[in-house]
Amino acid sequence: MSEKKTFYITTPIYYPSAKLHIGHAYCTVMADTMTRYKRMQGYETYFLTGSDEHGQKLQRAAQEKGLKPIEYIDPIVESFKSLWKRLYISNDDFIRTTEERHMKVVQDIFKKVYEKGDIYKSQYEGYYCTPCETFFTERQLVDGKNCPDCGRATELVKEESYFFKMSKYQDRLLKHIEDNPDFIQPVSRRNEMINFIKQGLEDLCISRTTFDWGIPVPIDDKHVIYVWFDALTNYISALGYGTDDDSLYQKFWPADIHLVGKDIARFHSIIWPCILMAADVPLPKQVFGHGWVLLDGGKMSKSKGNVVDPNVLLDKYGVDAIRYFLLREIITGNDGIYSEEALVKRINTDLANDFGNLVSRSVAMVDKYFGGIIPEAGQATELDEELKELALATAPKAAEAFDKLAFSEALSTIWQLVGRANKYIDETAPWVLAKDESQKERLGTVLYNLLEVIRIATVLASPAMPLLSGKVSEQIGMDLTNAAWCDGEVWGLTKAGAKVAKKDAIFPRIDPKSLDLPAETKAEVKEEKKEVAKQETKAEITYDDFAKLDLRVAEVLACEKVPDADKLLKFTLKVGEETRTVLSGIAEFYNDPQSLVGKKLVLVANLKPKKIRGIESHGMLLTAAADDDSLLEVLQVYSDVPSGSNVC
Ligand code: MSP
């Protein structure tokens, strides 16, 4: 008999420096959805999350409250666990880096790498960003003092430290990334990482002496191990790596996916693989760097105090709605915008109108016309065949999307089926059929088909919405709570003769007026803007008109915010042999301009130069923007086409 297929997925272990927000929930919900999907496909899954409890940031946060670090951390970790419970996160383990089982493995790995000769003692002098727990060289700082990742002030650190010979692994890592196209995803992040490595990897400082809230260096207790070296190791310490009971490690390592935010993709796709190579441990199969949940164009952050508490949303809207919204609204890999108006709109449109109404109308008709007993399907018409065909095409298409973590695409595929079924009701008009006794069999067929679509859509959507199958099961007289993915791949499992039960709406509509918003909600304003934008179709042009544009591939050499200009980013671009400066008013969509470095964009190269804020901007970068300006992305070229190449 063949071994059961396994699937191991991890989330980052979150810092217990404050309560979690909707951005953290987003990542964990994605990982959970992926786990549920794989489990339904018959995989033996392992899903790990946890908390990253050491480091200077936490020591200081505790000191400010007059507490010992662990006293400060414990209740916050409890709040993590309680949030995951409320979001129906089905993790197999929750690792805390202060646990003995973890600390021991970190020390063992440190020792192993030291004994191999890849760790040496030297003097560190450089800059440290405590909120990011990251070292920087002076060259990397913004304005000579600020962190390039979070923009906050760094501190000059001079201390004796242990260093990890990361530079030694640079070529091997680059080769691994090049030989394994799926190792870093999405492609944009992969390119960023390749560029970063090509600039040269420096040895990494992996110990600190100026505070003590960390795991002691096993060979020198004056030092504590750098918090990222400590934290990354959780992915194997939780599996019992190097211990007497390493059965989980044997079964599940290497991990299938480390799901992380784009800000920490570098730690996972560069530092972590180098540590693993040094420790002779196989590398994970994939690091997937997802985008951020933004608020009105800016990143949510504990320090800005603009965080959205998932607990409040759960109280108001329930778990399935929140999970559906996050997965459907944000394209995995890109940033997405959270707003309560958009959430309510999704609930009312996709969930209450499309899905909820399909269930309640279908169940009500079985109740009314067949006394609640599910009728048999009779002879299929062309229309029925078409519906069935779409239903059968949905599972493979949704699976293809889930497999690449394209949750929005997967849900949209399932909802196309839901939408088709609603249209089928209008086309078949069961209420007309019901008036004609001779059409009884036809009416039965129509209602059977509707229940069958509901069943299939429920099965396929259930990785995303853990309560859905239970709620639908209660109504359609069939238990879908333990359905396998393959149940959604076939037609005809609904049992004629079973009894439906009318219940309350699965997704009650939310009255937008109940939101604490101005009378004219932002969503409505956006809608109007969209209408205007749609009407503005431009006049027809000839090819010659188009050919006047000189569109070129331009590689970003540097990108930074223009001081005192909220909206402007200043790009230094390489266009063939030429270097250009181009200003673009897109700063609000790129909180981390640095992340654009190395990307290849599309430039209108023959636009007359223009002075903006005293800087000459030569050319214009192409962008794609939502009609309501809620989203914007610079157009990119992902292949090896060199800079300066023509775009047409
Ligand atoms: N402790 C480290 C991770 C160590 S993993 C070995 C850490 N913790 S964190 O709590 O600061 O962030 C954890 C994750 O939350 C990161 O992947 C980060 O990208 C993600 N997010 C934080 N804010 C976010 C949004 N607004 N949106 C989406 N994800 C965001 O880094």
Side-chain angles (χ1 to χ4, degrees):
M1 228 175 66
S2 69
E3 288 243 328
K4 208 168 177 188
K5 300 169 290 182
T6 62
F7 179 76
Y8 176 32
I9 190 166
T10 65
T11 70
I13 48 173
Y14 303 95
Y15 288 127
S17 49
K19 284 190 178 165
L20 297 172
H21 58 60
I22 193 86
H24 304 116
Y26 169 57
C27 176
T28 309
V29 162
M30 283 194 282
D32 185 61
T33 301
M34 207 56 202
T35 308
R36 288 172 183 269
Y37 161 68
K38 287 284 183 182
R39 216 183 283 141
M40 283 176 75
Q41 284 208 326
Y43 283 75
E44 189 174 354
T45 58
Y46 204 77
F47 172 15
L48 177 69
T49 188
S51 48
D52 183 359
E53 306 188 4
H54 291 123
Q56 194 161 9
K57 170 160 71 175
L58 282 158
Q59 179 156 1
R60 280 188 189 162
Q63 259 160 8
E64 275 165 26
K65 295 250 174 250
L67 296 172
K68 289 195 185 123
I70 202 71
E71 291 169 349
Y72 173 78
I73 289 165
D74 276 345
I76 301 182
V77 171
E78 279 317 303
S79 78
F80 288 9
K81 290 185 178 171
S82 120
L83 174 62
W84 298 151
K85 218 172 180 172
R86 295 197 67 195
L87 278 164
Y88 284 76
I89 301 301
S90 56
N91 54 306
D92 295 280
D93 195 359
F94 185 103
I95 181 124
R96 300 185 55 172
T97 55
T98 46
E99 287 172 85
E100 199 50 47
R101 61 167 174 155
H102 169 77
M103 304 210 283
K104 166 109 185 33
V105 176
V106 175
Q107 289 188 322
D108 288 349
I109 289 183
F110 191 103
K111 227 164 146 188
K112 190 169 175 188
V113 178
Y114 177 78
E115 279 161 8
K116 192 175 175 179
D118 282 348
I119 291 177
Y120 60 94
K121 194 148 88 174
S122 184
Q123 190 67 22
Y124 180 77
E125 181 166 349
Y127 295 82
Y128 195 75
C129 173
T130 306
C132 295
E133 299 282 14
T134 309
F135 296 100
F136 293 104
T137 59
E138 194 166 3
R139 188 170 56 83
Q140 292 172 306
L141 300 182
V142 174
D143 299 332
K145 59 177 188 311
N146 297 330
C147 168
D149 289 344
C150 74
R152 283 174 279 207
T154 57
E155 297 163 52
L156 180 63
V157 176
K158 283 186 200 178
E159 56 188 329
E160 179 192 63
S161 291
Y162 285 92
F163 284 77
F164 168 49
K165 284 190 191 165
M166 203 155 72
S167 54
K168 176 176 160 187
Y169 293 95
Q170 168 172 329
D171 295 343
R172 208 170 126 191
L173 176 62
L174 203 54
K175 181 162 179 348
H176 183 83
I177 296 173
E178 277 161 2
D179 291 349
N180 297 276
D182 287 338
F183 179 56
I184 305 171
Q185 282 293 316
V187 179
S188 55
R189 227 121 274 151
R190 176 173 189 268
N191 291 341
E192 255 170 62
M193 295 305 133
I194 292 179
N195 261 302
F196 188 90
I197 300 168
K198 282 188 174 163
Q199 284 166 26
L201 293 185
E202 287 175 18
D203 289 350
L204 179 72
C205 176
I206 51 162
S207 78
R208 304 288 313 270
T209 52
T210 43
F211 65 92
D212 60 5
W213 182 237
I215 303 176
V217 166
I219 49 163
D220 186 345
D221 61 12
K222 284 208 305 290
H223 291 246
V224 290
I225 297 177
Y226 173 43
V227 65
W228 272 101
F229 189 102
D230 162 353
L232 288 161
T233 305
N234 89 89
Y235 301 128
I236 54 175
S237 68
L239 301 182
Y241 167 81
T243 65
D244 291 342
D245 182 7
D246 69 350
S247 52
L248 286 173
Y249 173 79
Q250 295 300 342
K251 185 184 272 178
F252 291 106
W253 190 260
D256 291 271
I257 304 176
H258 285 322
L259 186 61
V260 300
K262 61 181 182 181
D263 50 327
I264 60 169
R266 188 156 48 88
F267 296 89
H268 287 79
S269 42
I270 298 178
I271 299 180
W272 179 226
C274 288
I275 296 175
L276 290 170
M277 286 191 274
D280 297 316
V281 176
L283 304 193
K285 292 181 201 156
Q286 184 171 87
V287 174
F288 194 105
H290 65 78
W292 283 334
V293 181
L294 302 176
L295 278 184
D296 294 330
K299 193 177 174 224
M300 228 175 298
S301 86
K302 293 163 200 163
S303 59
K304 280 195 218 158
N306 62 348
V307 295
V308 176
D309 182 352
N311 283 298
V312 174
L313 297 182
L314 282 164
D315 289 341
K316 272 169 106 169
Y317 304 112
V319 60
D320 279 354
I322 307 298
R323 289 178 58 131
Y324 176 83
F325 170 78
L326 291 170
L327 297 168
R328 177 68 183 87
E329 192 78 6
I330 305 172
I331 309 287
T332 325
N334 292 4
D335 292 345
I337 301 207
Y338 165 82
S339 76
E340 197 162 349
E341 302 95 291
L343 168 63
V344 167
K345 215 169 162 196
R346 282 271 176 218
I347 295 176
N348 285 347
T349 314
D350 299 10
L351 301 183
N353 277 3
D354 296 350
F355 195 96
N357 277 348
L358 176 63
V359 176
S360 54
R361 285 168 92 189
S362 306
V363 168
M365 288 190 286
V366 173
D367 207 46
K368 187 166 170 196
Y369 305 135
F370 290 91
I373 306 296
I374 300 176
E376 301 244 3
Q379 187 67 37
T381 65
E382 215 173 286
L383 191 64
D384 302 345
E385 287 298 343
E386 190 206 311
L387 181 71
K388 180 178 162 187
E389 216 171 278
L390 182 71
L392 289 174
T394 302
K397 223 171 141 198
E400 205 183 314
F402 273 128
D403 281 330
K404 51 181 187 186
L405 283 84
F407 302 105
S408 183
E409 191 185 321
L411 291 171
S412 145
T413 301
I414 300 163
W415 256 252
Q416 275 162 29
L417 175 63
V418 170
R420 185 67 194 86
N422 277 317
K423 195 163 158 233
Y424 176 84
I425 299 185
D426 298 337
E427 288 164 344
T428 51
W431 48 92
V432 177
L433 298 174
K435 288 190 185 133
D436 181 352
E437 194 49 36
S438 72
Q439 295 286 342
K440 191 90 182 173
E441 185 185 315
R442 176 76 198 126
L443 177 62
T445 307
V446 166
L447 295 185
Y448 181 91
N449 290 346
L450 287 170
L451 290 183
E452 191 52 5
V453 167
I454 292 169
R455 182 190 67 77
I456 291 175
T458 303
V459 170
L460 303 183
S462 54
M465 296 193 274
L467 297 188
L468 185 70
S469 59
K471 287 185 181 166
V472 174
S473 298
E474 278 186 346
Q475 303 217 14
I476 67 166
M478 215 181 150
D479 184 7
L480 303 177
T481 51
N482 287 311
W485 183 259
C486 57
D487 294 337
E489 291 173 333
V490 289
W491 182 267
L493 295 188
T494 292
K495 291 216 170 44
K499 196 158 175 24
V500 300
K502 260 169 67 178
K503 301 261 170 183
D504 291 343
I506 295 184
F507 298 108
R509 246 187 97 74
I510 313 287
D511 181 358
K513 289 198 211 90
S514 69
L515 292 179
D516 198 9
L517 295 168
E520 191 189 35
T521 66
K522 283 189 199 160
E524 280 159 1
V525 175
K526 279 182 189 163
E527 208 58 61
E528 277 173 22
K529 272 203 200 160
K530 214 171 180 170
E531 285 308 315
V532 174
K534 272 194 204 142
Q535 287 160 15
E536 278 175 16
T537 336
K538 293 182 182 159
E540 193 174 85
I541 59 165
T542 63
Y543 178 75
D544 289 346
D545 292 327
F546 170 73
K548 284 181 191 157
L549 291 175
D550 185 13
L551 300 177
R552 300 277 171 171
V553 175
E555 186 177 342
V556 183
L557 298 178
C559 180
E560 61 194 24
K561 287 206 163 119
V562 175
D564 301 326
D566 287 353
K567 296 202 163 145
L568 285 180
L569 285 186
K570 180 179 156 202
F571 288 84
T572 309
L573 301 172
K574 180 172 178 300
V575 189
E577 293 308 304
E578 196 190 338
T579 303
R580 292 236 189 147
T581 300
V582 172
L583 297 186
S584 181
I586 57 171
E588 59 182 307
F589 297 98
Y590 289 92
N591 225 31
D592 177 18
Q594 197 68 17
S595 68
L596 290 166
V597 173
K599 291 194 170 151
K600 288 187 200 148
L601 313 181
V602 179
L603 178 75
V604 183
N606 60 339
L607 200 66
K608 198 170 160 194
K610 192 174 168 191
K611 254 200 174 150
I612 307 169
R613 302 228 169 199
I615 305 171
E616 185 170 89
S617 173
H618 191 185
M620 187 181 92
L621 289 167
L622 293 192
T623 59
D627 290 340
D628 60 1
D629 288 335
S630 57
L631 263 180
L632 178 144
E633 199 176 3
V634 277
L635 292 192
Q636 277 189 67
V637 175
Y638 292 105
S639 72
D640 288 333
V641 174
S643 80
S645 303
N646 253 311
V647 179
C648 56

